[in-house]
Amino acid sequence: MPSATGPPPAPRLQAVWLAAAMFGTGIGSDVLGVLWVTTIQREIPERALSRISSYVWFGSLAFAPLGLLVAGPVAAAVGTGLALAGCAALIALATMAALLSPQGRTPRTATEAPSTAAASSDVEHPVGEEAAG
């Protein structure tokens, strides 16, 4: 059944667009992954690295089902195309918000280490271990 804007593109053309989108997404994800891990390792004290990483993964995995829960009713209410366009807009807005933050555009260099006093006071020490220094 043709849509109101005309017939759908040929399946081969859809496959080409899908492959191009997946390729671009893969490159973007790889670049993000490298930058994310590098930044985390530079900015988080080594003794807290595993804890922070686990919190990040927990947050990522815990909220994914909420997105899936909302996606179906939104797509049913406004249509699949509009729902996908809305998701793309939300992603673009979140990306722009991060890029507009001065801290996001200009991360510290390796010589500008975070203050050790603040870093050591932010991390809880296991029972029976004292903070060094």
Side-chain angles (χ1 to χ4, degrees), residues 11 20 22 25 49 51 62 71 75 77 86 89 101 124 130:
M22 292 176 68
T25 301
L49 194 56
R51 186 177 312 150
S101 166
E124 294 179 18
E130 294 290 324

Side-chain angles (χ1 to χ4, degrees), residues 36 70 101 109 132:
W36 178 260
V70 172
S101 166
T109 61

Side-chain angles (χ1 to χ4, degrees), residues 36 40 48-62:
W36 178 260
I40 291 292
L49 194 56
S50 64
R51 186 177 312 150
I52 298 298
S53 295
S54 67
Y55 289 155
V56 168
W57 271 107
F58 175 75
S60 298
L61 297 176

Side-chain angles (χ1 to χ4, degrees), residues 22-33:
M22 292 176 68
F23 181 77
T25 301
I27 289 176
S29 295
D30 286 348
V31 170
L32 171 71

Side-chain angles (χ1 to χ4, degrees), residues 94-109:
T95 302
M96 287 303 181
L99 291 174
L100 289 174
S101 166
Q103 294 87 358
R105 286 192 320 268
T106 55
R108 291 187 292 244
T109 61

